[in-house]
Amino acid sequence: MIGRCVVHSPKNILSKIPALEALFCLDMMKYGKVVIDSIQKIIPNANEQVLSSIVYHIAHLNKYDIEKAFQIFLSIIENASEELFVLSFNSAQYYVHHDFSRLENYLIRAQKIENENFRRNISAMLYFTWVRKYPKAEQYLFEYIENDT
């Protein structure tokens, strides 16, 4: 474990899953492979609570292997419930800068989410992608604005 490990989680989900919390507190440069392997074994039979914890914190693995972490993120959100999808924003804000083009389905689905806080966060994220001139960012931003009015 690294010095002070404070893991912020929605609704204190991780406090109910101490072993999973411990995974995200490890030094990812040293234990990243073990964490990724463990998560990949957990996902197929994981319940919503476990998936919520993983998707909320998966970006911690970016230091070790951002592409593998991104693939895990995409696999979880593919069939995620709306609540799980909303929690995914914490990690999505990192992956939007890793490979914006592969988040197309995420951005399309985000337009349908009614959670006010999520919508505010997504619109800010889309604004910054537009400012940075990411491909198709303008299209997504203005579609999002149009659907929001």
Side-chain angles (χ1 to χ4, degrees):
M1 297 255 206
I2 315 174
R4 189 179 124 222
C5 180
V6 178
V7 180
H8 303 285
S9 65
K11 302 177 192 172
N12 295 318
I13 287 171
L14 290 180
S15 63
K16 298 173 186 164
I17 311 171
L20 193 55
E21 178 178 2
L23 282 177
F24 289 110
C25 292
L26 294 171
D27 177 346
M28 291 306 161
M29 294 307 292
K30 189 173 181 180
Y31 299 105
K33 182 173 177 13
V34 171
V35 174
I36 285 176
D37 291 347
S38 298
I39 288 172
Q40 288 176 324
K41 288 177 186 172
I42 292 168
I43 289 174
N45 300 311
N47 63 29
E48 186 90 355
Q49 187 178 31
V50 171
L51 292 175
S52 296
S53 299
I54 294 169
V55 80
Y56 189 81
H57 294 288
I58 194 69
H60 288 285
L61 286 166
N62 292 353
K63 290 179 186 175
Y64 174 71
D65 189 331
I66 192 167
E67 184 55 33
K68 283 186 181 179
F70 187 43
Q71 289 171 1
I72 291 169
F73 172 82
L74 291 173
S75 73
I76 292 173
I77 62 162
E78 184 177 3
N79 298 309
S81 67
E82 185 168 320
E83 185 177 342
L84 181 56
F85 192 82
V86 167
L87 291 175
S88 73
F89 179 79
N90 186 59
S91 295
Q93 64 187 330
Y94 295 97
Y95 297 125
V96 74
H97 303 297
H98 172 64
D99 192 342
F100 182 71
S101 65
R102 287 172 48 205
L103 283 175
E104 183 171 6
N105 290 337
Y106 183 87
L107 297 171
I108 291 168
R109 183 167 178 201
Q111 292 179 9
K112 299 173 186 156
I113 302 296
E114 294 183 12
N115 179 289
E116 186 177 324
N117 201 31
F118 178 82
R119 294 189 67 73
R120 189 173 26 257
N121 289 334
I122 286 289
S123 58
M125 183 174 79
L126 287 172
Y127 171 76
F128 287 111
T129 62
W130 174 64
V131 167
R132 292 182 176 136
K133 301 187 184 312
Y134 289 179
K136 296 175 84 174
E138 181 175 0
Q139 172 191 336
Y140 293 126
L141 175 63
F142 289 102
E143 283 177 3
Y144 197 79
I145 291 170
E146 187 176 305
N147 289 337
D148 211 30
T149 55

